[in-house]
Amino acid sequence: MSLTTAAKVEVLSVLVRAGREARAPLTPHDCNTVVETSAHLAEIAPTLPEETPGDRARATRSAMELFLSVDCPQLALELREELARAVEHVVVRHPATAA
């Protein structure tokens, strides 16, 4: 599975597990933007420098957190953090494609 597909699956999984009430502040367009942004961030992860193990994953998580705080501030902080961690975990779990 590619990084982009894995990121989409993980983020969608988080959104589904969060429940309808947690997703309520998001329009369908917002949900699509969150999913597509996670895929783009996972896609660029392999291009990021990594001086120490985990740098790429942490940078990807931070980028997702920043995106969500600016574009989706209506989401609960816990959900924004969980979405960002999901993208980070994809990069960690797929080191061969993120190297």
Side-chain angles (χ1 to χ4, degrees):
M1 181 181 309
S2 72
L3 274 173
T4 56
T5 302
K8 288 179 180 183
V9 168
E10 285 296 318
V11 165
L12 284 169
S13 177
V14 168
L15 289 170
V16 169
R17 281 192 318 265
R20 188 176 304 222
E21 190 174 309
R23 291 187 312 270
L26 295 175
T27 66
H29 177 74
D30 292 338
C31 284
N32 185 58
T33 300
V34 168
V35 170
E36 291 301 319
T37 299
S38 70
H40 292 302
L41 291 173
E43 183 178 26
I44 65 168
T47 68
L48 300 173
E50 185 162 53
E51 293 181 20
T52 60
D55 284 350
R56 286 186 185 113
R58 284 188 295 278
T60 304
R61 181 193 68 225
S62 294
M64 189 68 176
E65 287 174 344
L66 177 61
F67 160 74
L68 291 169
S69 70
V70 171
D71 280 1
C72 300
Q74 70 274 29
L75 283 179
L77 177 62
E78 297 81 19
L79 181 54
R80 292 193 318 252
E81 290 173 347
E82 191 173 347
L83 289 164
R85 280 192 307 272
V87 178
E88 176 186 28
H89 291 149
V90 167
V91 175
V92 168
R93 282 195 316 258
H94 294 81
T97 50

